[in-house]
Every structure is written in structure tokens, then in C-alpha cells.
């Protein structure tokens, strides 16, 4: 048995950081990924957020309003 993976879209790094704050406030397991820099983004720019593993309703509490890719 595996865990479903869902990919959502946000408008930028600020929105990713806001989702991370929501995950932390809801005490959901999460990992914020920051860019190493050197290419298109500045070093330290938030560019991905993993939420879970958790039941779908727990993840939806943080990311449920995102547009799916």
C-alpha cells in the first residue's frame, strides 16, 4: 500500500511560505524545500512544500484550496 501524492500550484514563494506556516500551525508533518541558488532563483527561495504523510483530510486542511496540476 502506498500514499497518494498530489501536486498543487501556487503563485510564488510567498504562498509556499504561507502554506508552510499553516502546516506548522496545524501540527502537520511537512518539509519546506529551498532553492540552492545559482540558476534562476536566489539561494534560499522557497520552491516546494511536502505535506504528510497524513490522512487526506489533514492534508486538505493545509492545501485543499490549491489548483491541482
Amino acid at each position: 500500500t502506498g500514499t497518494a501524492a498530489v501536486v498543487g500550484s501556487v503563485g510564488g514563494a510567498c504562498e509556499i511560505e504561507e502554506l508552510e506556516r499553516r502546516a506548522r500551525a496545524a501540527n502537520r508533518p511537512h518539509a519546506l524545500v529551498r532553492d540552492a541558488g545559482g540558476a534562476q532563483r536566489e539561494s534560499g527561495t522557497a520552491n516546494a512544500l511536502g505535506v504528510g504523510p497524513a490522512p487526506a483530510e489533514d492534508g486538505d486542511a493545509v492545501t485543499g484550496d490549491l489548483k491541482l496540476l
Side-chain angles (χ1 to χ4, degrees):
T1 64
T3 302
V6 179
V7 179
S9 176
V10 298
C14 290
E15 288 184 51
I16 294 173
E17 291 171 345
E18 174 58 29
L19 289 170
E20 195 269 340
R21 284 189 286 276
R22 287 170 46 187
R24 189 178 332 116
N27 201 30
R28 303 290 186 257
H30 65 282
L32 180 64
V33 179
R34 294 190 177 274
D35 201 284
Q40 296 178 351
R41 295 177 181 232
E42 286 188 38
S43 179
T45 302
N47 61 10
L49 177 69
V51 179
E57 56 273 4
D58 289 351
D60 286 349
V62 177
T63 62
D65 58 343
L66 296 181
K67 178 181 175 184
L68 298 178
L69 292 180

